């Protein structure tokens, strides 16, 4: 895997699979599919409750029962308890397209016709179906439904237009309804006994009595297309809601047997599901336009009112950009929507208003899409003036003006910017100055003009007198940018000419030719970097070192990308994908700061797109898992070299550990006193039997050897001095310290950096000498370990590695073993050498600090 690892995807609400509704206690939950995963929403406020892991294939059907969710993908059925998969059922030869919970069983139907019955009481054990029904060659199932009060009966609608009633216990067909000559596209049971509603592909709705095989009433949609969803109201109102492939929701009054109301612009695409909440005047709807909506019937005329909704882009985004220090993402899509996505909370995502589009469309009797602005092709934003006036400017396809937006109110602004009104041409590029006061627009005719964002008035144009027609560029302007001080303005033309202008005076200062046609330029305002887009592969460059450090190839081509201001998250959009995908920068969240530990930059790594939730070990999903692991390990081995070889002369290298870790070493005594328990631990009344063991810091259980029983092996004259000479139990700390050769303490350093402050304190106290046997002191293992630690400190200080961490460890070490060092001449010599090394290294850096201190003191005392 490379530097950027797949994190998660945002902007996905639902897909073209019917949702499932279940009630737990007093709350109602909605389960929707999103490609290869599913999400669960709480219907109280449509808040996202959980998201599932990603499946191998796209979801084709959903069903839910209490905590269980049944998901059909391909020819398999996955069983989830909340977000954890507990079983996988396989038995279908064709793709499963329908699932239905039926008591203690789940009924599944595939495209080839067989009907399987699965038991889920013991989910983990049932891997084979408990029943199987063949529907026949003349029946291609499209819908399966259980009529209320019909015990062990299911009603199956077919593509041929007929209905068949089956008994799942006897596995026999009880009755076949002749049908209506059109494919059954939806079927639902009504609150009235023996009555069902059947929607057909010809746009007709048949309310049918299945007990007497009689037609009750027939309704017809006024718009073309199939009836894709049906639902009966259960709160006492005689209403039937129907949805069609044109995105229209129709409400039918069953008592009056006529149409009551129509919601013409309910969704921008085909209605997938409709469901009235139990005993509530609330209708849930979902559509293939990536939206879920909740409608409430509380008006006097009986028309539904939009209560709340969740939506994303219904068409792939074209432009994205991080906003609010990386907490939000601005996104413009081909669906003519300009959206703000929250990276942290899904509830904060919303679409920016284009001022009463719904009301105007309803009044003019046109579609909302016809009144919306054309898709955005470029935009820029400035956070500095968010509270004062409009701080976003957008350019649209084949539009000769640019529009401004006010993100504080999430609404389009009052000004429209029209460059060169005498010869209007489409606006192709835009930027906002660093101060947030001006917007600069570039057109297809080569014209560049500056506008004041507060008033919307033009403040002059940039003209090159050497160009024909006195334009800024001879051809189309593909990009404009301003520096961070409002001194320079950079523009680029399609024919490869890049020009630098005086921002205030609007005079041309310099120009150069690239030598080829330009498509887009991006100016990094913070450090003055200019970049051009090349190909579709995602490549990461270290501009300072002038080399490519990573290359990533995904299964779907990248169309837009944006890097967060903190460089911790990368956002991308892709061809035919309606969401925004986030990638996390591994080097920002791991202990290893070396880029070579993640990627070599010489090979293109194939990765999959991020899923809905962040999953550790994303490489496990890749097809070439073993290959990726081998490459990763090779790159780590290749980058194994002494850390100080990358140091800047006369400077320190810090450990990159959290500040609290090495500060805790210094204040460990205070922390222990503060965390000291008030009462001593109480011994349990009945202590269980344990084998005697020796405590170890590594966590390994070391059992005490049994005492010898044979009298010949025992040595009663063993003195206490002999017992003291026994080696202490070897730990990993001691083994790494003893095995470290001179100038190669890297393994030992990495080990102690991973220890907690309390464990490191315990390791150092293991070498503490508490008796006064001076004659044999230098041969004791504790003394030898103290010598090795002093050598280690001298080496680390001289190499200037992990400086702040080593200083904290030295302070703790001297606090524990200072008395032992004071009483031994050999250790005093080493301690004196450590002091000399410390002073010489610190003096060189202190001279650099002194220069900076003098400059700061001079500037702070000066008066300008």
């Amino acid at each position: 895997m490379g530097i950027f690892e797949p994190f998660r995807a945002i902007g996905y609400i639902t897909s073209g699979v019917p949702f499932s509704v279940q009630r737990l206690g007093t709350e109602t939950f909605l389960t929707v599919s999103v490609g290869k995963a599913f999400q669960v929403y709480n219907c109280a406020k449509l808040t996202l409750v959980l998201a599932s892991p990603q499946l191998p294939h796209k979801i084709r059907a959903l069903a839910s029962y209490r905590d269980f969710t049944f998901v059909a993908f391909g020819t398999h059925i996955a069983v989830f308890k909340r977000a954890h998969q507990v079983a996988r059922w396989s038995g279908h030869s064709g793709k499963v397209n329908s699932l239905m919970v039926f008591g203690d069983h789940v009924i599944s139907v595939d495209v080839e016709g067989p009907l399987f019955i699965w038991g889920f009481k013991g989910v983990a054990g049932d891997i084979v179906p408990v029943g199987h029904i063949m529907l026949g060659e003349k029946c291609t199932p499209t819908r399966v439904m259980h009529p209320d009060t019909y015990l062990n009966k299911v009603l199956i609608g077919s593509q041929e237009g007929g209905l068949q009633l089956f008994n799942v216990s006897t596995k026999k067909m009880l009755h076949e309804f002749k049908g209506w000559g059109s494919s059954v596209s939806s079927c639902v049971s009504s609150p009235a006994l023996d009555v069902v509603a059947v929607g057909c592909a010809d746009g007709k709705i048949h309310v049918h009595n299945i007990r007497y095989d009689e037609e009750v009433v027939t309704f017809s949609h006024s718009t073309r297309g199939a009836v894709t969803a049906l639902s009966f109201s259960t709160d006492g109102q005689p209403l039937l809601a129907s949805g069609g492939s044109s995105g229209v929701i129709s409400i039918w009054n069953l008592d009056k047997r006529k149409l009551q109301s129509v919601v013409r612009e309910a969704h921008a695409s085909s209605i997938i599901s409709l469901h009235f909440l139990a005993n509530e005047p609330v209708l849930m709807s979902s559509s293939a336009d990536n939206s879920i909506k909740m409608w409430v019937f509380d008006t006097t005329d009986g028309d539904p009112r939009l209560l709340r909704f969740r939506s994303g882009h219904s068409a792939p985004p074209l432009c994205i950009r991080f906003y609010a220090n990386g907490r939000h993402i601005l996104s413009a899509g081909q669906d003519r929507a300009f959206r703000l996505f929250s990276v942290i909370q899904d509830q904060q995502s919303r679409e920016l208003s284009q001022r009463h589009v719904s009301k105007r469309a309803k009044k003019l009797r046109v579609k909302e899409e016809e009144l919306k602005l054309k898709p955005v092709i470029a935009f820029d934003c400035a956070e500095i003036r968010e509270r004062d006036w409009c701080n976003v400017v957008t350019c649209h396809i084949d539009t000769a003006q640019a529009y401004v937006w006010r993100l504080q109110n999430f609404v389009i602004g009052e000004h429209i910017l029209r460059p060169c009104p005498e010869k209007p041409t489409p606006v192709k590029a835009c930027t906002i100055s660093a101060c947030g006061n001006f917007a600069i627009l570039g057109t297809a005719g080569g014209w560049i003009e500056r506008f004041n964002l507060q008033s919307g008035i033009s403040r002059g144009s940039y003209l090159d007198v050497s160009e024909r027609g006195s334009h800024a560029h001879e051809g189309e302007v593909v990009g404009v940018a301003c520096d961070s001080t409002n001194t320079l303005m950079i523009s680029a033309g399609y024919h490869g000419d890049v020009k630098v202008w005086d921002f205030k005076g609007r005079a041309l200062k310099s120009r150069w030719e690239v030598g080829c046609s330009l498509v887009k330029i991006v100016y990094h305002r913070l450090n003055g970097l200019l970049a051009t887009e090349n190909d579709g592969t995602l490549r990461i460059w270290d501009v300072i070192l002038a080399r490519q450090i990573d290359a990533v190839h995904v299964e779907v081509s990248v169309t837009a990308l944006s890097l967060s201001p903190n460089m911790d998250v990368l956002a991308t959009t892709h061809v035919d994908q309606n969401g925004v995908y986030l990638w996390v920068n591994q080097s920002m969240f791991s202990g290893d700061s070396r880029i070579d530990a993640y990627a070599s930059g010489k090979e293109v790594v194939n990765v999959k797109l991020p899923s809905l939730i962040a999953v550790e070990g994303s490489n496990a999903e890749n097809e070439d898992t073993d290959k990726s692991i081998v490459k990763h390990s090779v790159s780590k081995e290749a980058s194994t070299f002494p850390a100080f070889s990358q140091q800047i002369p006369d400077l320190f290298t810090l450990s990159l550990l959290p500040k609290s870790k090495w500060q805790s070493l210094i204040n460990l005594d205070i922390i222990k006193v503060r965390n000291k328990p008030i009462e001593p631990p109480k011994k349990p009344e009945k202590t269980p039997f344990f084998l005697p063991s020796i405590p170890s810091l590594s966590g390994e259980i070391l059992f005490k050897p049994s005492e010898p029983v044979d009298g010949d092996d025992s040595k009663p004259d063993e003195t206490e001095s002999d017992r003291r000479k026994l080696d202490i139990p070897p730990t990993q700390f001691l083994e790494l310290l003893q095995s470290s050769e001179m100038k190669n303490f890297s393994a030992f350093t990495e080990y102690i950096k991973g220890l907690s402050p309390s464990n490191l304190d315990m390791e150092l106290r293991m070498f503490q000498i508490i008796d006064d046997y001076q004659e044999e002191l230098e041969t004791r293992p504790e003394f030898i370990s103290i010598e090795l630690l002093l050598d280690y400190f001298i080496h680390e200080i001289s190499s200037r590695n992990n400086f702040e961490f080593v200083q904290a460890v030295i302070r703790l070490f001297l606090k524990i073993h200072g008395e032992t060092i004071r009483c031994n001449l050999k250790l005093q010599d080493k301690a004196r050498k450590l002091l000399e090394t410390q002073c010489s290294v610190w003096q060189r850096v202190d001279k650099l600090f002194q220069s900076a201190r003098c400059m700061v003191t001079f500037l702070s005392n000066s008066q300008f």
Side-chain angles (χ1 to χ4, degrees), residues 7 29 155 234 290 344 546 646 663 666 726 752 779 815:
F7 180 42
F29 295 92
L155 192 65
T234 58
N290 195 23
I344 302 172
Q646 293 184 339
Q663 278 189 340
I666 301 173
L726 292 175
I752 63 174
T779 60
K815 186 176 181 180

Side-chain angles (χ1 to χ4, degrees), residues 249-548:
I249 296 179
S250 302
I251 308 299
W252 309 88
N253 191 308
L254 298 176
D255 282 349
K256 298 179 180 180
R257 299 193 176 190
K258 67 177 184 179
L259 182 66
Q260 176 171 304
S261 61
V262 177
V263 186
R264 296 194 178 277
E265 294 294 333
H267 290 275
S269 186
S270 175
I271 305 294
I272 300 300
S273 295
L274 290 174
H275 182 83
F276 274 100
L277 299 186
N279 303 320
E280 295 183 37
V282 177
L283 176 67
M284 299 292 303
S285 66
S286 71
S287 170
D289 64 354
N290 195 23
S291 68
I292 301 171
K293 295 186 179 181
M294 181 181 290
W295 311 84
V296 61
F297 292 80
D298 59 353
T299 58
T300 56
D301 55 359
D303 291 343
R305 176 178 61 87
L306 184 62
L307 182 61
R308 56 179 62 94
F309 66 97
R310 290 282 180 266
S311 62
H313 282 294
S314 59
L318 296 173
C319 308
I320 57 173
R321 181 161 180 174
F322 274 98
Y323 185 78
N325 199 25
R327 297 191 303 272
H328 297 92
I329 295 177
L330 286 169
S331 173
Q334 298 177 12
D335 56 353
R336 302 190 175 193
F338 194 34
R339 294 185 174 274
L340 181 74
F341 289 107
S342 173
V343 179
I344 302 172
Q345 287 188 343
D346 177 72
Q347 292 84 351
Q348 296 180 0
S349 301
R350 60 186 301 164
E351 180 181 354
L352 273 67
S353 172
Q354 298 186 19
R355 292 199 182 276
H356 311 296
V357 173
S358 300
K359 290 184 179 180
R360 287 189 289 149
K362 192 174 183 180
K363 184 178 181 180
L364 298 174
R365 295 185 178 182
V366 296
K367 293 184 177 180
E368 292 183 13
E369 187 176 356
E370 297 179 8
L371 297 180
K372 283 188 175 183
L373 300 177
K374 291 184 178 181
V376 176
I377 57 174
F379 71 88
D380 195 16
C381 58
E383 300 181 30
I384 190 172
R385 291 295 188 180
E386 179 182 4
R387 298 180 179 272
D388 300 325
W389 48 72
C390 296
N391 62 326
V392 177
V393 59
T394 57
C395 309
H396 302 261
I397 294 178
D398 298 331
T399 304
Q401 59 265 8
Y403 295 86
V404 293
W405 306 74
R406 188 160 188 171
L407 281 187
Q408 186 182 18
N409 301 329
F410 307 106
V411 67
I412 192 171
E414 61 273 13
H415 303 303
I416 299 177
L417 311 182
R418 294 182 172 89
C420 192
E422 297 82 10
K423 295 181 180 180
T425 53
V427 180
K428 295 294 185 179
C430 63
T431 188
I432 296 180
S433 61
C435 61
N437 296 327
F438 300 99
I440 300 175
L441 307 179
T443 68
W447 188 271
I448 299 178
E449 192 165 347
R450 184 176 66 189
F451 290 85
N452 185 284
L453 283 175
Q454 184 179 10
S455 62
I457 300 175
S458 174
R459 296 303 183 189
S461 56
Y462 296 82
L463 302 177
D464 185 359
V465 293
S466 63
E467 298 286 352
R468 291 181 298 177
S470 296
H471 291 167
H473 292 270
E474 183 177 353
E476 175 184 328
V477 179
V478 298
V480 289
C482 295
D483 68 345
S484 57
T485 60
N486 281 4
T487 304
L488 303 175
M489 193 277 290
I490 304 172
S491 64
Y494 175 76
H495 297 294
D497 50 335
V498 179
K499 300 181 180 181
V500 180
W501 310 78
D502 180 28
F503 179 84
K504 186 176 180 180
R506 306 192 306 277
L508 181 64
K509 302 189 69 173
S510 62
R511 62 176 295 171
W512 71 87
E513 297 289 338
V514 176
C516 62
S517 298
L518 295 179
V519 177
K520 184 179 180 181
I521 67 167
V522 178
Y523 179 77
H524 198 277
R525 185 172 290 165
L526 297 180
N527 54 12
L529 302 178
L530 190 67
T532 60
E533 285 190 353
N534 188 8
D535 56 15
T537 304
L538 181 60
R539 300 176 185 271
I540 296 93
W541 299 80
D542 190 327
V543 183
I544 297 177
L545 298 179
R547 69 185 181 99
Q548 177 180 307

Side-chain angles (χ1 to χ4, degrees), residues 625-647:
T625 307
D626 299 335
K627 197 173 182 180
S628 301
I629 294 174
V630 170
K631 289 180 181 178
H632 188 62
S633 61
V634 169
S635 64
K636 280 194 174 183
E637 291 174 2
S639 62
T640 302
F641 49 84
F644 56 84
S645 64
Q646 293 184 339
Q647 285 184 331

Side-chain angles (χ1 to χ4, degrees), residues 20 22 49 250 375 437 482 492 518 542 674 698 710 780 788 797:
S20 176
Q22 70 271 19
V49 178
S250 302
N437 296 327
C482 295
L518 295 179
D542 190 327
R674 184 187 62 190
S698 62
D710 195 356
R780 298 182 59 173
L788 289 175
I797 291 296

Side-chain angles (χ1 to χ4, degrees), residues 81-215:
K81 186 171 184 180
R82 297 186 180 272
H84 303 284
Q85 184 173 345
V86 294
R88 181 170 175 172
W89 299 337
S90 301
H92 286 276
S93 57
K95 293 182 178 180
V96 181
N97 60 359
S98 295
L99 287 177
M100 185 186 69
V101 176
F102 187 67
D104 295 340
H105 299 83
V106 174
I107 294 178
S108 61
V109 182
D110 62 30
V111 294
E112 296 180 0
L115 183 148
F116 286 85
I117 306 168
W118 311 82
F120 65 87
K121 278 300 181 182
V123 175
D126 293 336
I127 57 175
V128 294
V130 297
H132 173 235
I133 300 175
M134 293 300 298
L135 302 181
E137 298 179 357
K138 295 183 179 180
C139 179
T140 305
T142 56
R143 289 292 183 268
V144 57
M145 185 265 294
H146 167 60
D148 292 342
T149 73
Y150 278 62
L151 186 64
N152 298 328
K153 311 295 190 303
V154 293
L155 192 65
I156 298 176
S158 65
Q159 190 174 349
E160 291 75 18
L163 295 175
Q164 294 180 352
L165 185 65
F166 277 86
N167 187 316
V168 295
S169 296
T170 60
K171 301 178 179 59
K172 294 181 179 180
M173 184 175 66
L174 303 179
H175 184 71
E176 183 174 4
F177 303 87
K178 59 181 181 180
W180 299 272
S182 180
S183 175
V184 176
S185 55
S186 60
C187 188
V188 65
S189 179
S190 75
L193 298 180
D194 308 321
V195 177
V196 298
V198 181
C200 297
D202 59 0
K204 292 185 177 181
I205 305 168
H206 304 276
V207 181
H208 198 76
N209 189 310
I210 59 175
R211 182 173 183 179
Y212 300 104
D213 196 5
E214 294 179 353
E215 191 86 3

Side-chain angles (χ1 to χ4, degrees), residues 742-789:
M742 193 59 183
K743 299 182 181 180
N744 189 14
F745 288 98
S746 57
F748 178 71
T749 302
E750 293 299 323
Y751 174 74
I752 63 174
K753 284 169 65 176
L755 292 177
S756 64
S758 57
N759 284 347
L760 182 55
D761 176 74
M762 183 62 70
E763 291 282 8
L764 294 177
R765 292 186 185 276
M766 291 285 289
F767 311 130
Q768 194 169 6
I769 301 175
I770 57 176
D771 47 21
D772 298 327
Y773 291 91
Q774 297 293 334
E775 64 278 0
E776 53 185 24
L777 182 63
E778 296 185 1
T779 60
R780 298 182 59 173
E782 295 93 339
F783 184 89
I784 299 174
S785 300
I786 294 175
E787 275 190 305
L788 289 175
L789 281 173

